[in-house]
Amino acid sequence: MEANGMEPNPEREYIRRHHKHELVENQCSSTLVKHIKAPVHIVWSLVRRFDQPQKYKPFISRCVVKGNMEIGTVREVDVKSGLPATRSTERLELLDDNEHILSIRIVGGDHRLKNYSSIISLHPETIEGGRIGTLVIESFVVDVPEGNTKDETCYFVEALIKCNLKSLADISERLAIQDRTESMNRV
């Protein structure tokens, strides 16, 4: 129990610790949470690939990295048709393999996501049946484009992130089933 008499909330604590964004006027921010039925190492194997976001992000068709996968490395991503953009230039801000945290900043592109920054963190959790799963938390901050409201901007970005997180869950859970099946076949 916490001092306020409530049960501790690990989600809230992870967000407080890892998802700090400095908001300025005319920006919006949000935090999304996804529970995935796969262990952290499987989910992280997809998320940490700054050089291959298309492995789970359905709106990215291609990625070219300039650098050695260090902080400051830049990637050029091509966006699939149907979105109001064709390319985005993104910089790696943080890649922590111990804490399972990835942060990126958009530094260019032909879209309206100016001063966009996101943090995604992964945390082990126990899911139904006592199996190990992953709590994924993704937060962002972005400028509100002229002619749009904060609500419209947040809704648009949240919709993209929700699609990415659903795809991440689907692929990770499929990999986890394959992993368990292969483990049983080796026995």
Side-chain angles (χ1 to χ4, degrees), residues 115-133:
N115 292 313
Y116 178 91
S117 177
S118 76
I119 300 168
I120 186 167
S121 64
L122 280 53
H123 311 276
E125 67 176 353
T126 304
I127 53 176
E128 73 261 353
R131 289 206 331 259
I132 300 298

Side-chain angles (χ1 to χ4, degrees), residues 31-179:
T31 302
L32 293 95
V33 172
K34 183 77 174 168
H35 300 273
I36 297 180
K37 298 173 189 169
V40 169
H41 75 274
I42 289 176
V43 182
W44 184 244
S45 73
L46 295 165
V47 170
R48 77 170 311 283
R49 294 303 304 262
F50 179 75
D51 59 333
Q52 294 184 347
Q54 68 274 24
K55 282 196 173 281
Y56 77 92
K57 292 185 175 187
F59 300 112
I60 295 177
S61 59
R62 198 179 120 207
C63 174
V64 177
V65 172
K66 299 170 183 167
N68 298 342
M69 292 294 293
E70 305 166 335
I71 303 307
T73 297
V74 173
R75 70 183 179 196
E76 293 279 340
V77 297
D78 292 342
V79 180
K80 290 185 179 173
S81 64
L83 288 177
T86 60
R87 62 181 169 67
S88 182
T89 306
E90 304 169 353
R91 183 177 62 224
L92 181 62
E93 298 287 302
L94 176 66
L95 178 62
D96 186 329
D97 284 317
N98 294 323
E99 294 282 335
H100 303 110
I101 303 169
L102 174 79
S103 177
I104 65 133
R105 177 176 302 277
I106 293 180
V107 294
D110 64 348
H111 49 73
R112 297 177 56 167
L113 298 179
K114 304 299 179 214
N115 292 313
Y116 178 91
S117 177
S118 76
I119 300 168
I120 186 167
S121 64
L122 280 53
H123 311 276
E125 67 176 353
T126 304
I127 53 176
E128 73 261 353
R131 289 206 331 259
I132 300 298
T134 302
L135 169 65
V136 179
I137 303 171
E138 186 162 356
S139 62
F140 70 90
V141 62
V142 67
D143 289 359
V144 176
E146 194 173 314
N148 290 92
T149 66
K150 284 185 177 186
D151 285 346
E152 290 167 337
T153 304
C154 267
Y155 181 81
F156 174 74
V157 176
E158 286 172 352
L160 288 176
I161 291 174
K162 284 177 185 175
C163 285
N164 289 341
L165 292 176
K166 182 182 182 326
S167 175
L168 178 63
D170 292 346
I171 294 166
S172 297
E173 289 168 4
R174 198 167 41 246
L175 289 171
I177 290 168
Q178 286 175 354
D179 196 46

